[in-house]
């Protein structure tokens, strides 16, 4: 799987951290072992910091979650999303994630977000299951 560059959407990143045995968890695990190049933006990391405390199975304090986000800065390539917008995106809150994909030139955006997946005919956007089926071990 080495050499594949992916943007992990917040939902995949959070699911992967919270549920290591899940498909997102396996994807995050391969990344953490160096088998996958992950591209993130500060927007995605900040969203992760906001969402993780809402999960009851996450027992990290807000400071520990921020430290986790800071450590991911060293594991991932960080890009600054551009300001271009795609009017076809149903949820405007997802523009920054789509812009991260565009700025990164990644092979895929891996997401479970139906609004982003609706653009899969125009961008390389796939679900975690599709990614695992194509590239998992």
């Amino acid at each position: 799987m080495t050499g594949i560059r992916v943007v992990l959407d917040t939902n995949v990143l959070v699911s992967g951290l919270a549920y290591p045995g899940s498909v997102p968890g396996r994807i995050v695990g391969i990344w953490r072992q160096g088998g996958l190049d992950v591209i993130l933006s500060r927007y995605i990391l900040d969203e992760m910091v906001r969402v993780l405390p809402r999960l009851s199975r996450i027992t990290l304090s807000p400071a520990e979650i921020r430290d986790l986000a800071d450590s991911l800065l060293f594991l991932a390539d960080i890009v600054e999303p551009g300001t271009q917008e795609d009017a076809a995106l149903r949820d405007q809150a997802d523009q920054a994630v789509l812009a991260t994909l565009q700025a990164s030139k990644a092979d895929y955006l891996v997401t479970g977000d139906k609004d982003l997946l609706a653009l899969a005919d125009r961008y390389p956007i796939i679900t975690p299951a599709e990614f695992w089926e194509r590239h998992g071990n």
Side-chain angles (χ1 to χ4, degrees):
M1 203 179 302
T2 305
I4 298 174
R5 295 174 41 85
V6 300
V7 173
L8 297 182
D9 192 2
T10 308
N11 58 62
V12 175
L13 190 55
V14 167
S15 294
L17 293 168
Y19 303 95
S22 67
V23 171
R26 287 183 264 162
I27 294 169
V28 168
I30 296 229
W31 165 40
R32 293 174 78 177
Q33 294 169 6
L36 185 62
D37 295 329
V38 170
I39 301 102
L40 301 172
S41 62
R42 289 192 181 273
Y43 174 86
I44 291 170
L45 287 171
D46 288 344
E47 193 173 42
M48 180 198 80
V49 168
R50 286 192 308 273
V51 172
L52 265 181
R54 298 181 198 159
L55 298 177
S56 60
R57 73 183 291 126
I58 299 297
T59 58
L60 301 173
S61 71
E64 291 169 323
I65 291 171
R66 178 42 64 192
D67 287 346
L68 172 62
D70 290 345
S71 71
L72 295 180
L73 289 170
F74 297 101
L75 287 176
D77 293 333
I78 305 299
V79 298
E80 184 64 35
T83 57
Q84 69 274 26
E85 293 190 0
D86 189 319
L89 188 57
R90 299 183 304 209
D91 183 353
Q92 294 305 304
D94 291 327
Q95 289 289 355
V97 176
L98 184 60
T100 299
L101 171 65
Q102 292 169 315
S104 72
K105 309 273 193 271
D107 297 307
Y108 301 105
L109 166 60
V110 182
T111 184
D113 186 308
K114 291 183 184 347
D115 294 317
L116 287 164
L117 288 165
L119 298 179
D121 60 332
R122 300 175 56 200
Y123 299 98
I125 302 173
I126 61 176
T127 67
E130 289 170 323
F131 179 81
W132 194 255
E133 184 177 304
R134 293 181 194 181
H135 303 288
N137 294 337

